Amino acid sequence: MAMTMPEQDRSRVRNAPRVVIVGGGISGLSTAWYLEQAARTHGLDIHYTLVEAAPRWGGKLCTDVVDSGEAQPFVVEAGPDAFITMKPWALELARELGLAEHLIPINPDVSAIYVLDRGRPVPMPEGVLLMVPTRFKPFVLSRLFSPAAKLRMGLDLVIPPRRDDGDETLANFVRRRLGSEALDKIAEPLMSGIYNADAEAMSIMATFPRFRELEKKHGSLIRGMLASRPAKRGLAPGAPASTAAFMSLRGGVQELSDALVPRLTGDLRHGTRITETRALPDGGYALTTDRGDTLHADAVVLTTAAYTAADLVRDLAPGVADMLASIRYLSTGTVTLAYRASDITKPIDGLGLVVPKAENRPINAITIASTKFSHRAPKGTALLRVFFGGTRSPASMEYDDNRLLAAVRDELRDILGIHAVPIFHRIYRWPRANPQYDVNHLERVSRIEADLPRGLYVTGGAYRGVGMPDCVYQAKCTVERVIEQIEETSASLRKAKP
């Protein structure tokens, strides 16, 4: 008797290669997307299941659209608010998903970043790229640095370069090339702030390898930045004129995950947690969910936090689990507040302000989101995003919401002269959400990848880059390895047939 269609479908799924992707943030969603594309390209019939413990998809891609009765809503980002286009993979993915018309650039008319220096916002000198001065006059006239610091930074032009490939901390690198004041006032709040990391532990090779490349190639950071800077301010090197160095989406970055999910055709399960991973005699894996289901897989891709991945591979590879668990995490958060523009009695003409650790404040930075990107706030209003936690203000993470809001408002009153009550505010906390790329991080990641049992993969922000483009690219690379494994297995099975 012929099988019914559902039975045929079930048989096809049983015989098809099976992949389980654990984690539904941008890394997991991208893995599912590129797995589907690769399966079609290679003519493979692959069945996959994407599992996410949270009740929503997207992870840190989380946008809150707030209607306060104004002409347009406020667009509030809980996590990242943009992606760099020098690393093109998030931009390419957005275009693949039909979001090209939704892309918006960082404001090209405002570029200044301020540094809080002894309680006063001081603009970073024009021509400072990342942390390196490339224009003489604005740097010399700046009141941000002492005369001794300016001379010390200029010594970068004559200090011999380090030629080996050994790792070092960001703090050691900056002190060596530019001096302690450059570290305290620029690199520590700005560079380590990008990674929510401690400059004294942060790996230069895992976070800013370009600095070491410039040092080796040009013998000086200043000469290297001058040689490689883009011809037009605000544009990514090699990018078309319409592509800014940083881009976002009109409705917030969650548009990316919201566009991805409906396009995926696999078995998607959010609100479901994997509790156990077991190796099977046939070389595959069985994953148990908190709902009592068992998922069988020929390949498993873990896109979760490293400590969660450690728990899931502990019984299969204890050494790998130990290395995964050794990747440190920090907790951070943001408070977003909306005001009338007239409420800011001491405005700054810039994108925001960074707060060095030496200032001993309960906050790390302030971004003026309504200036940074268009379509973030109604006309006549200002949307401010205040960062806290990490290594610079860890005590703030322990504040309850009322105390935290009061502390943030005190800082805004002191720095920007805001005495008014906000139109609204939103508090977002990200406990143990920021992986730390300590010295020799890449060496550790290489060992993890080499020692994982066949069919197990890790990918995501804990490994080779925390930004959206990095996560998308890692997903793409991981899918290539999964496809290679599936094709090798298929070839072996064909050979084994009599």
Side-chain angles (χ1 to χ4, degrees):
M1 185 172 68
M3 291 189 295
T4 64
M5 194 64 185
E7 288 172 335
Q8 289 174 337
D9 286 347
R10 285 195 293 271
S11 175
R12 178 186 60 79
V13 167
R14 282 196 297 270
N15 293 327
R18 299 157 299 179
V19 178
V20 173
I21 305 163
V22 185
I26 187 59
S27 297
L29 294 171
S30 298
T31 301
W33 172 257
Y34 289 117
L35 186 64
E36 289 195 18
Q37 313 308 306
R40 279 196 285 271
T41 300
H42 290 260
L44 297 170
D45 183 17
I46 298 175
H47 174 75
Y48 73 87
T49 304
L50 176 60
V51 183
E52 166 57 44
R56 57 173 292 275
W57 301 107
K60 293 190 188 111
L61 272 60
C62 183
T63 304
D64 188 5
V65 179
V66 180
D67 184 357
S68 63
E70 302 288 338
Q72 71 175 76
F74 292 87
V75 178
V76 179
E77 299 286 21
D81 66 353
F83 49 85
I84 190 169
T85 59
M86 188 185 301
K87 299 177 177 182
W89 305 290
L91 181 64
E92 290 172 354
L93 178 59
R95 288 171 172 161
E96 287 173 22
L97 294 169
L99 296 174
E101 298 301 316
H102 296 235
L103 291 165
I104 57 173
I106 195 169
N107 187 348
D109 300 320
V110 182
S111 61
I113 300 291
Y114 283 68
V115 179
L116 195 67
D117 184 35
R118 287 166 289 185
R120 297 181 306 161
V122 178
M124 202 173 291
E126 288 186 29
V128 171
L129 297 180
L130 295 177
M131 62 181 181
V132 183
T134 62
R135 291 178 59 188
F136 180 75
K137 187 175 179 180
F139 175 68
V140 169
L141 295 178
S142 172
R143 66 180 189 271
L144 181 60
F145 303 104
S146 68
K150 294 172 184 177
L151 287 171
R152 176 61 184 85
M153 293 173 76
L155 289 177
D156 169 72
L157 292 166
V158 297
I159 292 172
R162 178 175 173 175
R163 299 289 186 185
D164 65 85
D165 294 324
D167 205 355
E168 64 183 314
T169 66
L170 175 69
N172 184 72
F173 175 82
V174 176
R175 285 195 194 100
R176 183 168 59 77
R177 295 302 321 172
L178 301 170
S180 296
E181 202 167 320
L183 171 65
D184 295 340
K185 292 186 176 179
I186 303 182
E188 185 274 325
L190 194 59
M191 299 293 95
S192 63
I194 293 171
Y195 283 84
N196 291 304
D198 181 359
E200 299 290 351
M202 182 177 168
S203 161
I204 189 74
M205 298 303 285
T207 56
F208 296 101
R210 183 175 175 226
F211 288 144
R212 285 287 295 275
E213 292 167 7
L214 292 175
E215 179 188 25
K216 288 174 69 174
K217 182 177 180 180
H218 299 277
S220 156
L221 284 181
I222 295 174
R223 280 196 295 269
M225 291 300 282
L226 285 169
S228 62
R229 65 183 176 180
K232 188 174 179 181
R233 180 175 62 83
L235 297 186
S242 60
T243 303
F246 291 91
M247 301 285 282
S248 187
L249 291 156
R250 184 182 295 265
V253 295
Q254 188 178 317
E255 280 198 79
L256 191 63
S257 54
D258 286 349
L260 257 173
V261 173
R263 301 281 293 274
L264 301 177
T265 60
D267 179 6
L268 310 184
R269 307 185 187 189
H270 60 53
T272 302
R273 187 180 302 276
I274 300 298
T275 58
E276 183 185 19
T277 308
R278 293 180 289 110
L280 297 174
D282 65 359
Y285 297 94
L287 293 85
T288 305
T289 77
D290 59 357
R291 296 172 181 262
D293 301 326
T294 299
L295 305 175
H296 292 89
D298 302 289
V300 178
V301 182
L302 303 175
T303 74
T304 62
Y307 51 83
T308 301
D311 291 340
L312 293 176
V313 304
R314 176 71 60 188
D315 294 337
L316 303 172
V320 172
D322 288 342
M323 287 189 283
L324 288 167
S326 71
I327 297 175
R328 296 188 304 117
Y329 277 75
L330 291 178
S331 301
T332 60
T334 62
V335 182
T336 296
L337 310 96
Y339 291 98
R340 302 290 171 193
S342 57
D343 292 336
I344 306 176
T345 63
K346 297 190 291 184
I348 59 174
D349 184 21
L351 300 175
L353 172 143
V354 294
V355 182
K357 193 172 184 177
E359 293 291 312
N360 195 28
R361 301 269 182 158
I363 65 172
N364 303 335
I366 302 168
T367 295
I368 306 175
S370 49
T371 298
K372 188 175 180 180
F373 289 105
S374 302
H375 313 292
R376 289 294 184 261
K379 187 176 181 180
T381 65
L383 192 64
L384 308 182
R385 196 172 183 221
V386 181
F387 296 77
F388 66 95
T391 59
R392 280 184 284 154
S393 58
S396 302
M397 288 299 302
E398 306 303 320
Y399 293 176
D400 64 27
D401 285 358
N402 289 335
R403 184 181 177 189
L404 178 63
L405 180 61
V408 166
R409 290 189 60 197
D410 284 346
E411 295 300 310
L412 294 178
R413 185 180 305 113
D414 182 47
I415 298 169
L416 298 177
I418 302 176
H419 294 266
V421 175
I423 299 170
F424 71 87
H425 75 275
R426 294 288 187 274
I427 297 174
Y428 304 98
R429 300 175 187 268
W430 296 100
R432 286 191 81 192
N434 295 273
Q436 300 300 287
Y437 287 13
D438 292 343
V439 170
N440 296 320
H441 174 78
L442 294 179
E443 181 182 326
R444 176 191 293 140
V445 171
S446 294
R447 291 202 309 270
I448 288 169
E449 292 170 341
D451 293 350
L452 275 167
R454 178 177 170 79
L456 280 180
Y457 304 87
V458 293
T459 195
Y463 307 106
R464 298 186 181 274
V466 299
M468 291 167 59
D470 298 298
C471 291
V472 172
Y473 178 66
Q474 290 176 80
K476 205 170 187 178
C477 294
T478 300
V479 165
E480 290 175 2
R481 293 163 58 206
V482 171
I483 294 295
E484 183 180 353
Q485 175 205 324
I486 288 171
E487 291 188 322
E488 285 178 357
T489 302
S490 298
S492 297
L493 289 173
R494 286 194 298 270
K495 265 187 191 178
K497 282 185 179 178

